[in-house]
Structures are given as C-alpha cells and as structure tokens.
Amino acid sequence: MRWRDLQDVIDPHNLAIKTMQSDANFTVGDAVSVNAHGRYVGNGPVAAPCAAT
C-alpha cells in the first residue's frame, strides 16, 4: 500500500499519519523495511510506532 492510499483510507475517520516519507508514492512496507525516517527527523524512524500482532 502506498502512503497516498493509506491517507485515503484513514482520512474519513479523521486520522492522520504522524511520520511518513515526504513523497506519498512510496509504499509503507518499503519505508518500514529500510528503517527510513520521515519528513520530521525528530519523530524518529517510520517503524518506531509499529507493533507486530
């Protein structure tokens, strides 16, 4: 799923992504797998708030 697709899903629920890449055309899985940081480096890596279930 691309960041843009995720935004489309959560927006109707008044939710937002706190940390994501600056370009919304990358996939969420790619960003998490490479431990990328988001646009706001002070928030830490994209994977930081993720939890396995």
Side-chain angles (χ1 to χ4, degrees), residues 1-13 17 20 23-28:
M1 175 179 280
R2 295 175 309 134
W3 287 108
R4 180 72 241 155
D5 302 328
L6 180 58
Q7 289 173 312
D8 290 341
V9 170
I10 67 172
D11 186 55
H13 303 282
I17 301 165
M20 64 175 273
D23 290 322
N25 60 333
F26 292 104
T27 68
V28 176

Side-chain angles (χ1 to χ4, degrees), residues 19-37:
T19 304
M20 64 175 273
Q21 290 178 286
S22 57
D23 290 322
N25 60 333
F26 292 104
T27 68
V28 176
D30 288 344
V32 171
S33 71
V34 299
N35 204 28
H37 65 78

